[in-house]
Coordinates of all heavy atoms in Angstrom, one line a residue:
A229 N -3.5 -24.5 2.5 CA -2.0 -24.5 2.7 C -1.6 -25.4 3.9 O -0.5 -25.3 4.3 CB -1.7 -23.0 3.1
H230 N -2.5 -26.2 4.4 CA -2.2 -27.0 5.5 C -1.5 -28.3 5.2 O -1.3 -29.2 6.1 CB -3.5 -27.4 6.3 CG -4.1 -26.1 7.0 ND1 -5.2 -26.2 7.7 CD2 -3.6 -24.9 7.1 CE1 -5.5 -25.0 8.2 NE2 -4.5 -24.1 7.8
T231 N -1.3 -28.6 4.0 CA -0.6 -29.8 3.6 C 0.7 -29.5 2.8 O 0.9 -28.4 2.3 CB -1.5 -30.7 2.7 OG1 -1.9 -30.0 1.6 CG2 -2.7 -31.1 3.6
G232 N 1.5 -30.5 2.7 CA 2.7 -30.3 1.8 C 3.9 -29.7 2.6 O 3.8 -29.4 3.8
R233 N 5.1 -29.6 2.0 CA 6.2 -29.1 2.6 C 6.6 -27.7 2.1 O 6.2 -27.4 1.0 CB 7.4 -30.1 2.3 CG 7.3 -31.5 2.8 CD 8.5 -32.3 2.5 NE 8.4 -33.7 3.0 CZ 9.3 -34.6 2.8 NH1 10.3 -34.3 2.0 NH2 9.1 -35.8 3.3
F234 N 7.3 -27.0 2.9 CA 7.8 -25.7 2.5 C 9.0 -25.9 1.6 O 9.8 -26.7 1.8 CB 8.1 -24.8 3.7 CG 6.9 -24.3 4.5 CD1 6.7 -24.8 5.8 CD2 6.0 -23.4 3.9 CE1 5.6 -24.3 6.5 CE2 5.0 -23.0 4.6 CZ 4.8 -23.4 5.9
D235 N 9.1 -25.0 0.7 CA 10.2 -25.0 -0.3 C 11.4 -24.3 0.3 O 11.8 -23.2 -0.1 CB 9.8 -24.4 -1.6 CG 10.9 -24.5 -2.7 OD1 11.8 -25.3 -2.5 OD2 10.7 -23.8 -3.6
A236 N 12.0 -24.9 1.4 CA 13.1 -24.2 2.0 C 14.3 -24.1 1.1 O 15.1 -23.1 1.2 CB 13.5 -25.0 3.3
T237 N 14.6 -25.1 0.3 CA 15.7 -25.0 -0.6 C 15.5 -23.9 -1.6 O 16.4 -23.1 -2.0 CB 15.8 -26.3 -1.4 OG1 16.0 -27.4 -0.4 CG2 17.0 -26.3 -2.4
G238 N 14.3 -23.8 -2.1 CA 14.0 -22.6 -3.0 C 14.2 -21.3 -2.4 O 14.8 -20.4 -3.0
A239 N 13.8 -21.1 -1.1 CA 14.0 -19.9 -0.4 C 15.5 -19.6 -0.3 O 16.0 -18.5 -0.4 CB 13.3 -19.9 1.0
A240 N 16.3 -20.6 0.0 CA 17.7 -20.5 0.2 C 18.4 -20.1 -1.1 O 19.2 -19.2 -1.2 CB 18.4 -21.8 0.7
L241 N 18.0 -20.7 -2.2 CA 18.5 -20.4 -3.5 C 18.2 -19.0 -3.9 O 19.1 -18.2 -4.4 CB 17.9 -21.4 -4.6 CG 18.5 -22.8 -4.6 CD1 17.7 -23.6 -5.6 CD2 20.0 -22.8 -5.0
G242 N 17.0 -18.5 -3.7 CA 16.6 -17.2 -4.0 C 17.4 -16.2 -3.2 O 17.9 -15.2 -3.7
A243 N 17.5 -16.4 -1.9 CA 18.3 -15.5 -1.0 C 19.7 -15.4 -1.4 O 20.4 -14.4 -1.4 CB 18.1 -15.9 0.5
L244 N 20.3 -16.6 -1.7 CA 21.8 -16.6 -2.1 C 22.0 -15.9 -3.4 O 23.0 -15.3 -3.6 CB 22.2 -18.1 -2.2 CG 22.5 -18.8 -0.8 CD1 22.8 -20.2 -1.0 CD2 23.7 -18.1 -0.1
T245 N 21.1 -16.1 -4.3 CA 21.2 -15.4 -5.6 C 21.2 -13.9 -5.4 O 22.1 -13.2 -6.0 CB 20.0 -15.7 -6.5 OG1 20.0 -17.1 -6.8 CG2 20.0 -14.9 -7.9
L246 N 20.3 -13.3 -4.6 CA 20.3 -11.9 -4.3 C 21.5 -11.5 -3.6 O 22.1 -10.4 -3.8 CB 19.1 -11.6 -3.5 CG 17.7 -11.6 -4.2 CD1 16.6 -11.4 -3.2 CD2 17.7 -10.5 -5.3
A247 N 22.0 -12.3 -2.6 CA 23.2 -12.0 -1.8 C 24.4 -11.8 -2.7 O 25.2 -10.9 -2.6 CB 23.4 -13.0 -0.7
L248 N 24.6 -12.8 -3.5 CA 25.8 -12.8 -4.4 C 25.8 -11.7 -5.4 O 26.8 -11.1 -5.7 CB 26.0 -14.2 -5.1 CG 26.4 -15.3 -4.1 CD1 26.2 -16.7 -4.8 CD2 27.8 -15.2 -3.6
A249 N 24.6 -11.5 -6.0 CA 24.5 -10.3 -6.9 C 24.8 -9.0 -6.3 O 25.4 -8.1 -6.8 CB 23.1 -10.4 -7.6
T250 N 24.2 -8.9 -5.1 CA 24.5 -7.6 -4.3 C 25.9 -7.5 -3.9 O 26.5 -6.3 -4.1 CB 23.6 -7.7 -3.0 OG1 22.2 -7.8 -3.3 CG2 23.8 -6.4 -2.2
Y251 N 26.6 -8.5 -3.5 CA 28.0 -8.5 -3.2 C 28.8 -8.0 -4.4 O 29.7 -7.1 -4.3 CB 28.5 -9.8 -2.7 CG 30.0 -9.8 -2.5 CD1 30.5 -9.4 -1.3 CD2 30.9 -10.2 -3.5 CE1 31.9 -9.4 -1.0 CE2 32.2 -10.2 -3.2 CZ 32.7 -9.8 -2.0 OH 34.1 -9.8 -1.8
A252 N 28.5 -8.6 -5.6 CA 29.3 -8.3 -6.8 C 29.1 -6.8 -7.2 O 30.1 -6.1 -7.5 CB 28.8 -9.2 -7.9
L253 N 27.9 -6.3 -7.0 CA 27.6 -4.9 -7.4 C 28.2 -3.9 -6.5 O 28.8 -2.8 -6.8 CB 26.1 -4.7 -7.5 CG 25.4 -5.4 -8.7 CD1 23.9 -5.3 -8.5 CD2 25.8 -4.8 -10.0
I254 N 28.1 -4.2 -5.1 CA 28.6 -3.3 -4.1 C 30.2 -3.3 -4.1 O 30.8 -2.2 -4.0 CB 28.0 -3.6 -2.7 CG1 26.6 -3.3 -2.7 CG2 28.8 -2.8 -1.6 CD1 25.9 -3.6 -1.4
E255 N 30.8 -4.4 -4.2 CA 32.2 -4.5 -4.1 C 33.0 -4.1 -5.4 O 34.2 -3.9 -5.4 CB 32.6 -5.9 -3.6 CG 32.1 -6.2 -2.3 CD 32.5 -5.3 -1.2 OE1 33.7 -4.8 -1.3 OE2 31.8 -5.1 -0.2
A256 N 32.3 -4.1 -6.5 CA 33.0 -3.8 -7.8 C 33.7 -2.5 -7.8 O 34.8 -2.4 -8.4 CB 31.9 -3.9 -9.0
P257 N 33.1 -1.4 -7.3 CA 33.9 -0.1 -7.4 C 35.2 -0.2 -6.6 O 36.2 0.4 -7.1 CB 32.9 0.9 -6.7 CG 31.6 0.3 -6.9 CD 31.8 -1.2 -6.8
G258 N 35.3 -0.9 -5.6 CA 36.6 -1.0 -4.8 C 37.5 -2.1 -5.3 O 38.7 -1.9 -5.2
Q259 N 37.0 -3.2 -5.7 CA 37.8 -4.4 -6.1 C 37.9 -4.6 -7.6 O 38.7 -5.4 -8.0 CB 37.2 -5.6 -5.5 CG 37.1 -5.6 -4.0 CD 36.7 -7.0 -3.4 OE1 36.9 -8.1 -4.0 NE2 36.0 -7.0 -2.3
G260 N 37.1 -3.8 -8.4 CA 37.1 -4.0 -9.8 C 36.8 -5.4 -10.2 O 35.9 -6.0 -9.6
S261 N 37.3 -6.0 -11.3 CA 37.0 -7.3 -11.7 C 37.8 -8.3 -11.1 O 38.5 -9.2 -11.7 CB 37.1 -7.4 -13.3 OG 38.5 -7.0 -13.7
S262 N 37.9 -8.3 -9.8 CA 38.6 -9.3 -9.0 C 38.0 -10.7 -9.1 O 36.8 -10.8 -9.5 CB 38.8 -8.9 -7.5 OG 37.5 -8.9 -6.9
R263 N 38.7 -11.7 -8.7 CA 38.1 -13.1 -8.7 C 36.9 -13.2 -7.8 O 35.9 -13.9 -8.2 CB 39.2 -14.1 -8.3 CG 40.4 -14.2 -9.2 CD 41.3 -15.3 -8.8 NE 42.4 -15.5 -9.7 CZ 43.4 -16.4 -9.5 NH1 43.4 -17.1 -8.4 NH2 44.4 -16.5 -10.4
L264 N 36.9 -12.5 -6.7 CA 35.7 -12.6 -5.8 C 34.5 -12.0 -6.4 O 33.4 -12.5 -6.4 CB 36.1 -11.9 -4.5 CG 36.9 -12.7 -3.5 CD1 37.2 -11.9 -2.2 CD2 36.1 -14.0 -3.1
V265 N 34.7 -10.8 -7.0 CA 33.6 -10.1 -7.6 C 33.0 -10.9 -8.8 O 31.8 -11.1 -8.9 CB 34.0 -8.7 -8.1 CG1 32.9 -8.0 -8.9 CG2 34.3 -7.8 -6.9
V266 N 33.9 -11.3 -9.7 CA 33.5 -12.1 -10.9 C 32.9 -13.4 -10.5 O 31.8 -13.8 -11.0 CB 34.7 -12.3 -11.9 CG1 34.3 -13.2 -13.0 CG2 35.1 -11.0 -12.4
G267 N 33.5 -14.1 -9.5 CA 33.0 -15.3 -9.0 C 31.6 -15.2 -8.4 O 30.7 -16.0 -8.7
A268 N 31.4 -14.1 -7.6 CA 30.0 -13.9 -7.1 C 29.0 -13.6 -8.2 O 27.9 -14.1 -8.1 CB 30.1 -12.7 -6.1
A269 N 29.4 -12.9 -9.2 CA 28.4 -12.6 -10.3 C 28.0 -13.9 -11.0 O 26.9 -14.1 -11.3 CB 29.0 -11.5 -11.2
V270 N 29.0 -14.7 -11.3 CA 28.8 -15.9 -12.0 C 27.9 -16.9 -11.2 O 27.0 -17.5 -11.6 CB 30.1 -16.6 -12.5 CG1 29.8 -18.0 -13.0 CG2 30.8 -15.7 -13.5
A271 N 28.3 -17.0 -9.9 CA 27.5 -17.9 -9.0 C 26.1 -17.4 -8.9 O 25.2 -18.2 -8.8 CB 28.2 -17.9 -7.6
A272 N 25.8 -16.1 -8.8 CA 24.5 -15.5 -8.7 C 23.7 -15.9 -9.9 O 22.5 -16.3 -9.8 CB 24.6 -14.0 -8.5
L273 N 24.3 -15.8 -11.1 CA 23.6 -16.2 -12.3 C 23.2 -17.7 -12.3 O 22.1 -18.1 -12.7 CB 24.5 -15.9 -13.6 CG 23.9 -16.2 -14.9 CD1 22.6 -15.4 -15.2 CD2 24.9 -15.9 -16.0
G274 N 24.2 -18.5 -11.9 CA 24.0 -20.0 -11.9 C 22.9 -20.4 -10.9 O 22.0 -21.2 -11.2
L275 N 22.9 -19.8 -9.7 CA 21.9 -20.0 -8.7 C 20.5 -19.5 -9.1 O 19.5 -20.1 -8.8 CB 22.3 -19.4 -7.4 CG 23.5 -20.1 -6.6 CD1 23.9 -19.3 -5.4 CD2 23.2 -21.5 -6.3
G276 N 20.5 -18.4 -9.8 CA 19.2 -17.9 -10.3 C 18.6 -18.9 -11.3 O 17.3 -19.1 -11.2
V277 N 19.4 -19.4 -12.1 CA 18.9 -20.4 -13.1 C 18.4 -21.6 -12.3 O 17.3 -22.2 -12.7 CB 19.9 -20.7 -14.1 CG1 19.5 -21.9 -15.0 CG2 20.3 -19.6 -15.0
A278 N 19.2 -22.1 -11.4 CA 18.8 -23.3 -10.6 C 17.4 -23.0 -9.8 O 16.6 -23.9 -9.8 CB 19.9 -23.6 -9.6
F279 N 17.3 -21.8 -9.3 CA 16.0 -21.4 -8.6 C 14.8 -21.5 -9.5 O 13.8 -22.1 -9.2 CB 16.1 -20.0 -8.0 CG 14.9 -19.5 -7.5 CD1 14.4 -19.9 -6.2 CD2 14.1 -18.5 -8.2 CE1 13.2 -19.5 -5.7 CE2 12.9 -18.0 -7.7 CZ 12.5 -18.5 -6.4
A280 N 15.0 -20.9 -10.7 CA 13.9 -20.9 -11.7 C 13.5 -22.4 -12.1 O 12.3 -22.7 -12.2 CB 14.3 -20.1 -12.9
R281 N 14.5 -23.2 -12.4 CA 14.2 -24.6 -12.8 C 13.6 -25.4 -11.7 O 12.6 -26.1 -11.9 CB 15.5 -25.3 -13.2 CG 16.2 -24.7 -14.4 CD 17.5 -25.4 -14.8 NE 17.2 -26.8 -15.2 CZ 18.1 -27.7 -15.5 NH1 19.4 -27.3 -15.5 NH2 17.8 -28.9 -15.7
R282 N 14.0 -25.1 -10.5 CA 13.4 -25.9 -9.3 C 11.9 -25.5 -9.1 O 11.1 -26.3 -8.9 CB 14.2 -25.5 -8.0 CG 13.6 -26.2 -6.8 CD 14.4 -25.9 -5.6 NE 13.7 -26.4 -4.3 CZ 13.8 -27.7 -3.9 NH1 14.6 -28.5 -4.6 NH2 13.2 -28.1 -2.9
E283 N 11.7 -24.2 -9.2 CA 10.2 -23.8 -9.0 C 9.3 -24.3 -10.1 O 8.1 -24.5 -9.9 CB 10.2 -22.2 -9.0 CG 11.0 -21.6 -7.8 CD 10.6 -22.2 -6.5 OE1 9.5 -21.9 -6.0 OE2 11.4 -22.9 -5.9
R284 N 9.8 -24.5 -11.3 CA 9.0 -25.1 -12.4 C 8.7 -26.6 -12.2 O 7.7 -27.1 -12.6 CB 9.7 -24.9 -13.7 CG 9.6 -23.5 -14.2 CD 9.8 -23.4 -15.7 NE 11.1 -24.0 -16.1 CZ 12.3 -23.4 -16.3 NH1 12.3 -22.0 -16.0 NH2 13.4 -24.0 -16.6
R285 N 9.6 -27.3 -11.5 CA 9.5 -28.7 -11.4 C 8.8 -29.2 -10.1 O 8.2 -30.3 -10.1 CB 10.9 -29.3 -11.4 CG 11.6 -29.2 -12.8 CD 13.0 -29.8 -12.7 NE 13.7 -29.7 -14.0 CZ 14.9 -30.0 -14.2 NH1 15.7 -30.5 -13.3 NH2 15.5 -29.9 -15.5
L286 N 8.8 -28.4 -9.0 CA 8.3 -28.8 -7.8 C 6.7 -28.9 -7.8 O 6.1 -28.0 -8.4 CB 8.7 -27.9 -6.7 CG 10.0 -28.1 -6.1 CD1 10.3 -27.1 -4.9 CD2 10.3 -29.5 -5.6
P287 N 6.1 -29.9 -7.2 CA 4.7 -29.9 -7.2 C 4.1 -28.8 -6.3 O 3.0 -28.3 -6.5 CB 4.3 -31.3 -6.6 CG 5.6 -31.7 -5.9 CD 6.7 -31.1 -6.6

Side-chain angles (χ1 to χ4, degrees):
H230 289 178
T231 61
R233 297 179 179 179
F234 287 114
D235 183 16
T237 301
L241 286 173
L244 283 172
T245 299
L246 288 173
L248 290 168
T250 302
Y251 175 86
L253 291 168
I254 289 178
E255 299 300 328
Q259 299 187 30
S261 56
S262 67
R263 291 183 178 180
L264 280 176
V265 170
V266 174
V270 172
L273 180 61
L275 289 175
V277 172
F279 172 77
R281 294 182 63 183
R282 177 180 175 81
E283 299 306 288
R284 285 199 305 267
R285 293 177 178 179
L286 281 183

